Amino acid sequence: MDFHIDHHRLRTDSANVPYMGSPNAGGVLKPRFLIIHYTASGPDADISKYFFQKSANVSAHLVVRRDGAITQCVPFNVVAWHAGKSQWTGKDGTYYSGLNNAAIGIEIENWGPLNKSDGGWVSWTGAPVDGSKVIEARHKFGVPDCGWEVFTTAQIETVIAAAQAICAEYPIEDIMGHDDIAPGRKSDPGPAWDMNAFKAKVKGEAEIGDAGMVVHSSSGLNIRSGASASFPKVHDIIPDRTRVLVHEASGKWRYVSVLNASGQPDFSGWVHGDWLK
Ligand SMILES: [Zn+2]
């Protein structure tokens, strides 16, 4: 899949992507950042239709559904209303308060955090979610352990292609999650979205980023619920040469997401850092 941008609209070689203009937008945007969101909604709700309503009072530039279908709701040179109260300090020291004025927003259709119910998983609305599409993980800003709906491969590929087109057209300095610019208030896109792998792919890098490490232990590595050997194991032994993403440190211990064969986070916990390289 390949996109490019013409007159601030995303398009393929043959046509603009579907457009559903949101009234919840206005003012000139000179994009400096790209913000990734989840919609916190299920497969039955088309969020671009929600953004189309004035009463929604929110919008984003792009919406990506579970099947990878993409809709543009606001031209990239117009401010959309996706970030809310937020802040960020740019690489040159510029302080941004309210990122709407500086950022393109992409909303990805996904429930976000899920709760256990009767041995299965349910969304915040109570809708059941297939357990094979759920990872258990802790949010990097300390939201308690819960389930998170995984993003589909079609969504990941579409968002990478759209982000590559955006970065080719505008001077995008950084890509952040909504949680990065509104920590504590927002938790999207959350631990199911592998931001390091995503950013590396957008930049065309083969590596998974600074936080990516590999297990080096011929007998495998225990993964536990806390930062010492006294905590219970949360999963079977992680095999030698497994790739992990390191999120935080406590003494010699590291809190990691264990990556599956396709490079996506599978489960999380604490491992001893001596066995990571
Ligand atoms: Zn958001």
Side-chain angles (χ1 to χ4, degrees):
M1 184 188 323
D2 228 353
F3 293 123
H4 63 277
I5 292 171
D6 188 25
H7 292 86
H8 308 290
R9 297 286 184 92
L10 189 69
R11 54 181 287 122
T12 64
D13 279 343
S14 52
N16 284 359
V17 304
Y19 187 79
M20 171 141 334
S22 172
N24 307 313
V28 175
L29 173 62
K30 290 191 163 40
R32 301 278 301 166
F33 302 99
L34 177 58
I35 306 297
I36 305 298
H37 304 262
Y38 57 59
T39 56
S41 64
D44 299 332
D46 183 346
I47 291 298
S48 66
K49 289 186 180 143
Y50 177 64
F51 291 161
F52 186 68
Q53 301 166 36
K54 182 82 194 145
S55 58
N57 234 24
V58 289
S59 65
H61 294 91
L62 298 172
V63 174
V64 178
R65 304 205 65 185
R66 280 171 177 74
D67 64 2
I70 191 164
T71 303
Q72 186 161 5
C73 304
V74 179
F76 297 124
N77 63 337
V78 175
V79 170
W81 302 352
H82 57 97
K85 190 168 160 30
S86 52
Q87 54 193 324
W88 190 255
T89 302
K91 285 181 175 151
D92 62 358
T94 306
Y95 175 75
Y96 296 86
S97 177
L99 271 287
N100 283 344
N101 293 319
I104 289 171
I106 303 181
E107 287 276 0
I108 311 171
E109 193 176 77
N110 179 286
W111 277 120
L114 306 168
N115 294 311
K116 268 207 171 111
S117 172
D118 290 337
W121 293 100
V122 294
S123 72
W124 63 272
T125 63
V129 177
D130 178 354
S132 70
K133 301 190 171 90
V134 178
I135 62 159
E136 284 187 74
R138 190 172 61 162
H139 193 279
K140 62 183 174 180
F141 297 134
V143 177
D145 285 29
C146 62
W148 299 84
E149 187 181 24
V150 299
F151 295 85
T152 69
T153 303
Q155 286 179 316
I156 294 165
E157 287 173 354
T158 299
V159 178
I160 288 170
Q164 285 173 334
I166 289 165
C167 290
E169 181 74 9
Y170 305 104
I172 300 296
E173 171 182 319
D174 211 346
I175 302 172
M176 297 91 82
H178 202 183
D179 45 9
D180 293 316
I181 60 168
R185 188 175 75 82
K186 289 290 177 180
S187 53
D188 57 321
W193 183 259
D194 185 345
M195 188 62 95
N196 285 317
F198 171 69
K199 286 166 76 166
K201 284 197 176 131
V202 171
K203 289 189 220 150
E205 294 168 4
E207 293 305 312
I208 54 176
D210 294 338
M213 297 191 84
V214 175
V215 174
H216 283 260
S217 165
S218 55
S219 58
L221 190 56
N222 288 314
I223 182 162
R224 300 179 182 277
S225 65
S228 92
S230 62
F231 285 93
K233 296 172 193 173
V234 297
H235 197 273
D236 295 340
I237 282 180
I238 311 171
D240 191 28
R241 308 292 151 162
T242 302
R243 292 195 304 153
V244 301
L245 285 181
V246 179
H247 301 297
E248 63 178 278
S250 175
K252 288 210 147 205
W253 289 74
R254 301 288 179 268
Y255 186 75
V256 302
S257 290
V258 177
L259 303 182
N260 62 22
S262 54
Q264 294 303 309
D266 201 1
F267 55 91
S268 301
W270 290 89
V271 298
H272 198 287
D274 281 359
W275 306 102
L276 300 177
K277 279 182 193 162

